[in-house]
Amino acid sequence: MKTKNKTAGKNLRSLSPLTEGLSILSIIFALIIFSLRVYGQWTGQQKPELTYPFSDEELLRFGRPAVFQDSQLNQIAFPLGGIGTGTISLGGRGQLRDWEIFNRPGKGINFPFTFFAIYVEAGGRKHSRVLEAQLEPPHTGGHGIPRERVPGLPRFRKAFFRGEYPLAEVELSDPDLPVKVVLEAFNPFIPGDPENSGLPVAVLKYRVKNLTDKEIKITLAGSMANPVGFDGQGEFNSLFNTVFGQNVNRIIKGQVSGIYFLSKKVPPDSPAYGTLALATTWPDLTYVSHWVRGEWWDDLHILWDDFSDDGQLSNLDEESPSPDGRTDVGTLGLKATIPPGGEAVLPFVIGWHYPNLLNYFDIVREQRGRLFHPYYTKKFKDAWEAAEYLFDNLEQLEKKTRDFRDAFFSSSLPDYVLEAVSSQASIIRTPTCLWLDDGRFFAFEGCSDRSGCCPLNCAHVWNYAQAMAFLFPELERSMRETDFLVNVKPDGAMVFRTSLPTGEKLWGFKPAADGQLGRIINLYRDWQICGDINFLKKLWPQAKRALEYAWTAWDKDQDGLLEDEQHNTYDIEFFGPNSMLSGFYLGALEAGARMAEAVGDRKAAARYRQVLGRGQKNYQALLWNGEFFIQKYDRAQEKKYQYGQGCLSDQLLGQWLAMAAGVGRFLDKAKIEKALESIYRYNFRENFYDLANVQRTYALADEKGLLLCTWPRGGRPPLPFPYSDEVWTGIEYHVASHLIYEGMVKEGLTIVKAVRERYDGWRRNPWNEVECGHHYARAMSSWGLLLALSGFSYLASEGRLGFAPVLNQENFRTFWSLGSAWGTYEQRLEGDKDISASLKLEHGNYNLRELSLEIPPGFSSEVRSVSCTLGGKNLMVRTISSGKKLTLHFRQPVHLKAGEPLVLRLSR
């Protein structure tokens, strides 16, 4: 349903009624008006009305994320893996796909003959099924579907997929079977605990429900090919390859039992060297270390017939290295008897360990070819040890993971918002990101199918990403240390791509203005999240040098605007004052002034504020056209790839980043609101049927999305900047959350819903938003939606927290995180006289000195009394009211810890 904003600009009548006998004067006036419109100088032009393609009911759909089924399952690939470990993905039908465990991306790597299956014996009947739903069309191929995918084996009729990252669930059903099977899959994910969120494992728990009134017997078996020798390049779609030979599948029995996969051929310093484990703690097992090495189809034929006969395998223990040029498949079966109406939960863990990360990607070519080591290899000597650690700690790790999942998805926010925020937080744990054994975190922009894209730590892309700073801030701080302690040159220029090993050679390219100045704003954010003044003092000298570099490179007259050549995230250079990059500059000056004051550098702080004051005045006077902020450059020296009079979606990016970082507004609020409205009005499209786009295409036909730039007043350059007609989710999310910050909630939610409709499981994978590669880091700007909708504010250095929700204020709940401390906040209006609120930690601790709240609209009177308890004990608190904002100051710092909620009651 489409609705229109009745307060939008009024339609104007046509200015060309010459046939009605206009006077010469009228014609001249009409020509003047037309000329002004062409050159973008007239603000009274006809505007498109604000339109909303979704009804309020659709936008305000709360609850848990939707369940995927049928054709929506096609594109689903839910990543299972830890920080810096690589991933295996769970497909929508229940299959394992995209094995990206070889220290590089691996889209399309699907191990041959690797699947899970169930044998069921009930009432004298026997059933065997692959634990997947039916293969979806198209079923093409000159030789049919490859047999390595076991397409001819019977499968379940139906699958339902629910993903609430980091947990996924696949429900399998078949009317011919006396069981229902639910697969629960996850990898431990605990904000503030990167160690236990960085395990090289995938946990698969099969919950088998007996639907009959009789006892049944089952065997649930996992088969897996031994990949050791394959390094992630090329294809692993067959057991036969010259890289294989001497592959061993070893049966291990103990408290943790299973199959240990290794190779006696691959040298320990090879990128192809590694181990895998298929493990369980289930006591009643059947197994075969390797399938029959026969001719034609003997291997799978013998295995399936044996399995389908009685669910019992041959229990072959033989440790027989494979012949040269081939590898083997091993199968591990878990047997159970399930009483009438009962169920069994059968656990598997897939573990992996590939210790040699090849630097194939370095931006400095001379650095390529060296080996590095993932962080997890410090903790585990092989895959079996990783699997044992997981099982030894499974109860605690699973509980904490579920605590996070439950806390996050209990937020009273629209389901598609929860999907947008959580799904893109998964990027931290995909091959986009590297966590090395020295503790430092590095990342690509995204992933090509078999290699990382655009190395490493690209400052102008990672500026947008907010999720890691709030979930795993210590890893984010390691990126700041690389930014400032490694990549800032003596003259203050920051290298915006990192080379490994750090400190040996720096990339010789020009600095990126948005990357360099945005990192200063992010440094302020990271200091406010951790509250550690020593962290700030350590980085401040180089941060100061980086900020003041602007005065020698981009703002030589210190008028607060960047004027000279400015490289940026569009991979080109802007010239002259422009809204996007000068906005970063103003935000960096404000953040820099605050940090300078904190470390005692008052002289620098005063100077930054002087330049900031001039910049604020000049920015709004020179770049404001009445509707939005633009670019000014010397048109007599026309440059390619500018935006000029265009309405750039990123025009307020620096201001948005300052909002997320806690810096706040540095531009006029009314102009911010007007500019954001213009971005929505002109750049958001309800379809792309009539758009001619010769650039990369991320939205098309009936899809909705936000263009990077439009020229509503004319003046589009013949060759605008290269990505102007594209649609990037990272920009859509930051514009959406900025709209929400400024009270335009409907517009913001509309953009978010448009994104998630494009990533619906049928068209695209909901857990992989792409740009220049898969799992693109810019999309982690979606965390800003949570910040804006909850009104979350923080200042750890002063013990402050705050919440100002913009939806469901009278019955609101949200997840919040500062990494080392995270939990939920809840407020509820009880009648019209009382407000109850609670702040609960699920993990960590926090010393709270000040808490600010937003009084719900339904509470019409002044708050006259406040009670506050912690663990049943009353606390002394002083309150200050300012409009609807209520700030509570505690006389003594309140030590919050998990399990002891802070409870408030406000009365009139």
Side-chain angles (χ1 to χ4, degrees):
M1 188 180 91
K2 296 182 181 180
T3 58
K4 296 187 177 180
N5 185 343
K6 296 180 181 179
T7 64
K10 297 178 180 179
N11 291 332
L12 300 175
R13 294 178 180 176
S14 170
L15 294 175
S16 58
L18 298 180
T19 57
E20 296 179 12
L22 282 177
S23 66
I24 299 286
L25 199 57
S26 297
I27 294 173
I28 293 172
F29 177 74
L31 290 173
I32 291 172
I33 296 298
F34 176 75
S35 177
L36 288 173
R37 290 180 67 182
V38 168
Y39 288 99
Q41 302 300 315
W42 183 60
T43 60
Q45 65 186 16
Q46 180 176 337
K47 304 176 187 176
E49 293 185 338
L50 295 178
T51 61
Y52 305 95
F54 305 112
S55 67
D56 289 352
E57 182 180 0
E58 291 174 299
L59 290 177
L60 298 177
R61 187 185 67 208
F62 299 99
R64 306 301 276 253
V67 174
F68 299 90
Q69 59 180 310
D70 300 327
S71 60
Q72 284 185 307
L73 304 174
N74 286 349
Q75 297 301 316
I76 287 176
F78 186 97
L80 301 169
I83 302 171
T85 70
T87 59
I88 305 166
S89 288
L90 177 64
R93 297 184 295 103
Q95 80 278 25
L96 298 179
R97 55 177 292 183
D98 299 340
W99 292 68
E100 303 181 274
I101 62 176
F102 305 101
N103 294 314
R104 62 191 305 141
K107 295 300 178 203
I109 294 177
N110 299 313
F111 287 10
F113 304 110
T114 298
F115 63 97
F116 287 79
I118 190 170
Y119 165 85
V120 182
E121 185 176 326
R125 297 188 62 190
K126 301 176 182 180
H127 310 267
S128 299
R129 295 285 191 277
V130 175
L131 282 161
E132 301 171 11
Q134 301 295 314
L135 295 171
E136 291 284 343
H139 303 313
T140 56
H143 296 273
I145 303 171
R147 67 178 292 265
E148 289 80 5
R149 295 172 58 188
V150 298
L153 297 183
R155 285 167 164 75
F156 281 72
R157 299 279 186 90
K158 190 81 173 174
F160 299 91
F161 188 102
R162 180 190 293 277
E164 295 179 330
Y165 192 82
L167 289 102
E169 183 178 286
V170 182
E171 180 181 322
L172 297 166
S173 62
D174 190 314
D176 295 334
L177 294 185
V179 295
K180 181 179 77 172
V181 181
V182 176
L183 166 60
E184 299 171 339
F186 72 98
N187 175 289
F189 185 97
I190 307 163
D193 186 358
E195 291 273 347
N196 283 314
S197 302
L199 304 179
V201 297
V203 182
L204 308 174
K205 299 174 75 173
Y206 288 90
R207 189 179 299 274
V208 183
K209 174 76 172 178
N210 181 354
L211 302 178
T212 76
D213 58 0
K214 299 282 189 350
E215 182 179 88
I216 65 172
K217 294 181 179 180
I218 69 165
T219 301
L220 202 151
S223 297
M224 195 162 86
N226 184 334
V228 183
F230 176 67
D231 66 358
Q233 300 184 73
E235 302 298 332
F236 178 30
N237 52 21
S238 166
L239 301 181
F240 298 90
N241 192 308
T242 57
V243 302
F244 296 130
Q246 298 295 301
N247 290 76
V248 173
N249 300 349
R250 179 177 297 159
I251 300 297
I252 295 179
K253 299 176 183 177
Q255 290 209 343
V256 177
S257 301
I259 308 176
Y260 178 53
F261 301 88
L262 65 148
S263 170
K264 294 183 177 181
K265 174 181 177 179
V266 182
D269 61 350
S270 168
Y273 177 80
T275 57
L276 279 85
L278 178 61
T280 186
T281 52
W282 195 258
D284 194 0
L285 303 177
T286 185
Y287 52 83
V288 56
S289 62
H290 66 84
W291 292 3
V292 170
R293 297 168 187 153
E295 300 176 298
W296 286 93
W297 329 126
D298 298 0
D299 48 10
L300 180 58
H301 197 153
I302 292 171
L303 183 283
W304 191 255
D305 283 354
D306 188 23
F307 179 69
S308 300
D309 180 52
D310 58 3
Q312 177 69 37
L313 301 175
S314 63
N315 289 352
L316 176 69
D317 290 276
E318 179 186 37
E319 187 172 309
S320 170
S322 67
D324 195 47
R326 71 157 293 161
T327 187
D328 284 320
V329 181
T331 300
L332 175 68
L334 284 55
K335 300 192 297 180
T337 299
I338 307 177
E343 70 174 17
V345 180
L346 299 105
F348 288 90
V349 165
I350 300 174
W352 59 91
H353 188 278
Y354 277 81
N356 302 318
L357 189 159
L358 177 67
N359 183 350
Y360 63 87
F361 47 76
D362 209 281
I363 195 68
V364 178
R365 289 185 176 272
E366 308 92 272
Q367 301 275 63
R368 296 179 183 178
R370 303 195 196 191
L371 291 179
F372 294 87
H373 307 290
Y375 185 84
Y376 72 81
T377 62
K378 286 179 58 177
K379 192 168 187 173
F380 309 115
K381 71 175 187 294
D382 60 15
W384 196 261
E385 197 170 84
E388 286 184 318
Y389 177 86
L390 187 284
F391 275 122
D392 288 345
N393 298 277
L394 179 58
E395 183 177 355
Q396 178 186 19
L397 294 176
E398 183 172 0
K399 180 184 182 302
K400 290 183 177 180
T401 299
R402 291 185 182 276
D403 285 347
F404 162 70
R405 189 274 307 270
D406 293 344
F408 181 87
F409 285 96
S410 71
S411 301
S412 50
L413 299 174
D415 54 4
Y416 57 89
V417 170
L418 297 176
E419 289 176 359
V421 177
S422 62
S423 66
Q424 300 318 295
S426 71
I427 294 168
I428 301 167
R429 306 204 307 167
T430 67
T432 294
C433 300
L434 311 176
W435 188 18
L436 300 186
D437 59 353
D438 62 2
R440 290 179 299 168
F441 183 92
F442 301 95
F444 300 98
E445 293 181 22
C447 301
S448 299
D449 284 356
R450 299 298 170 86
S451 61
C453 176
C454 312
L456 272 177
N457 290 24
C458 179
H460 59 65
V461 168
W462 274 82
N463 269 339
Y464 294 75
Q466 300 298 311
M468 193 167 73
F470 291 91
L471 290 169
F472 302 102
E474 69 180 81
L475 300 182
E476 185 76 31
R477 291 196 297 273
S478 85
M479 295 183 83
R480 290 301 80 69
E481 291 178 348
T482 300
D483 289 335
F484 292 105
L485 302 182
V486 174
N487 287 343
V488 173
K489 298 178 180 180
D491 66 354
M494 178 187 288
V495 177
F496 66 87
R497 295 192 189 277
T498 299
S499 176
L500 294 179
T502 59
E504 289 195 9
K505 293 185 179 180
L506 295 177
W507 188 37
F509 197 69
K510 66 190 75 174
D514 50 352
Q516 181 156 335
L517 297 170
R519 286 337 224 171
I520 293 166
I521 302 174
N522 285 330
L523 174 60
Y524 177 83
R525 175 202 63 197
D526 299 337
W527 168 51
Q528 291 307 313
I529 287 174
C530 72
D532 183 357
I533 191 65
N534 291 322
F535 166 72
L536 180 60
K537 287 180 176 179
K538 179 181 177 181
L539 272 60
W540 174 247
Q542 290 294 84
K544 178 181 180 182
R545 184 173 285 118
L547 178 52
E548 295 179 3
Y549 174 80
W551 300 338
T552 63
W554 302 309
D555 182 24
K556 295 172 184 175
D557 59 3
Q558 296 184 35
D559 68 348
L561 297 179
L562 305 188
E563 287 133 1
D564 293 328
E565 178 185 275
Q566 304 147 57
H567 188 75
N568 59 75
T569 199
Y570 305 133
D571 301 321
I572 46 81
E573 290 70 40
F574 284 154
F575 294 86
N578 64 84
S579 53
M580 176 183 172
L581 301 177
S582 288
F584 271 105
Y585 182 33
L586 299 182
L589 287 167
E590 176 61 33
R594 296 187 190 187
M595 291 185 289
E597 290 169 347
V599 300
D601 193 349
R602 293 192 177 126
K603 183 177 179 181
R607 191 175 180 190
Y608 299 156
R609 292 199 186 281
Q610 288 175 352
V611 179
L612 173 63
R614 292 192 289 269
Q616 289 169 312
K617 180 179 178 181
N618 292 332
Y619 185 99
Q620 296 177 114
L622 182 64
L623 303 181
W624 179 249
N625 73 356
E627 284 190 291
F628 49 87
F629 295 100
I630 59 172
Q631 176 192 18
K632 290 290 184 74
Y633 62 97
D634 186 355
R635 299 185 68 87
Q637 299 178 350
E638 184 74 43
K639 304 284 187 181
K640 287 199 301 183
Y641 311 140
Q642 307 301 294
Y643 69 94
Q645 301 296 314
C647 181
L648 185 70
S649 289
D650 266 344
Q651 64 185 267
L652 292 172
L653 175 58
Q655 177 63 87
W656 168 79
L657 184 58
M659 296 293 285
V663 175
R665 296 181 189 87
F666 50 79
L667 296 175
D668 177 71
K669 180 173 170 55
K671 288 185 172 66
I672 293 172
E673 292 174 357
K674 186 66 175 176
L676 287 168
E677 181 192 272
S678 297
I679 292 170
Y680 181 82
R681 182 190 303 277
Y682 297 125
N683 296 6
F684 181 72
R685 294 182 65 96
E686 295 187 34
N687 64 68
F688 290 82
Y689 288 122
D690 62 352
L691 178 73
N693 174 21
V694 300
Q695 302 163 13
R696 301 170 302 181
T697 302
Y698 302 111
L700 70 165
D702 62 338
E703 297 177 330
K704 306 169 186 66
L706 187 79
L707 291 170
L708 266 65
C709 195
T710 61
W711 284 263
R713 297 178 168 210
R716 178 184 171 110
L719 291 173
F721 69 93
Y723 308 131
S724 55
D725 292 329
E726 296 183 359
V727 173
W728 296 355
T729 66
I731 290 178
E732 290 176 295
Y733 287 140
H734 92 69
V735 169
S737 55
H738 205 172
L739 283 160
I740 293 165
Y741 270 127
E742 300 302 341
M744 288 170 273
V745 178
K746 187 171 185 176
E747 291 81 353
L749 293 179
T750 297
I751 293 174
V752 180
K753 186 164 178 57
V755 175
R756 296 310 295 173
E757 280 198 345
R758 301 200 306 266
Y759 287 85
D760 61 356
W762 174 51
R763 302 170 192 245
R764 300 172 184 84
N765 179 11
W767 289 273
N768 179 12
E769 292 184 5
V770 303
E771 191 189 308
C772 188
H774 304 282
H775 308 293
Y776 199 75
R778 201 187 316 264
M780 284 190 282
S781 62
S782 65
W783 195 265
L785 299 168
L786 182 66
L787 302 178
L789 286 166
S790 65
F792 179 57
S793 59
Y794 56 94
L795 199 63
S797 60
E798 298 181 16
R800 297 183 193 173
L801 291 177
F803 299 88
V806 299
L807 290 175
N808 297 326
Q809 296 99 322
E810 296 177 1
N811 186 11
F812 179 77
R813 181 182 173 93
T814 188
F815 171 82
W816 62 273
S817 176
L818 293 175
S820 60
W822 55 268
T824 58
Y825 168 76
E826 188 171 4
Q827 68 179 41
R828 185 188 302 270
L829 182 63
E830 299 179 354
D832 61 352
K833 295 183 178 181
D834 298 290
I835 302 168
S836 63
S838 66
L839 182 65
K840 182 180 180 183
L841 264 66
E842 297 287 350
H843 175 86
N845 54 76
Y846 191 83
N847 288 322
L848 182 69
R849 294 181 176 87
E850 180 181 303
L851 178 64
S852 63
L853 315 175
E854 195 86 6
I855 303 301
F859 192 87
S860 56
S861 301
E862 180 182 349
V863 174
R864 299 191 180 278
S865 69
V866 177
S867 66
C868 182
T869 61
L870 178 68
K873 296 181 179 179
N874 292 323
L875 301 177
M876 301 296 290
V877 62
R878 178 171 58 91
T879 62
I880 298 176
S881 295
S882 176
K884 286 290 185 180
K885 182 178 180 180
L886 182 69
T887 303
L888 288 72
H889 298 269
F890 298 94
R891 295 190 179 181
Q892 298 292 332
V894 178
H895 183 68
L896 302 179
K897 59 183 180 181
E900 288 189 1
L902 180 73
V903 179
L904 306 173
R905 192 165 193 87
L906 317 177
S907 303
R908 65 177 187 174

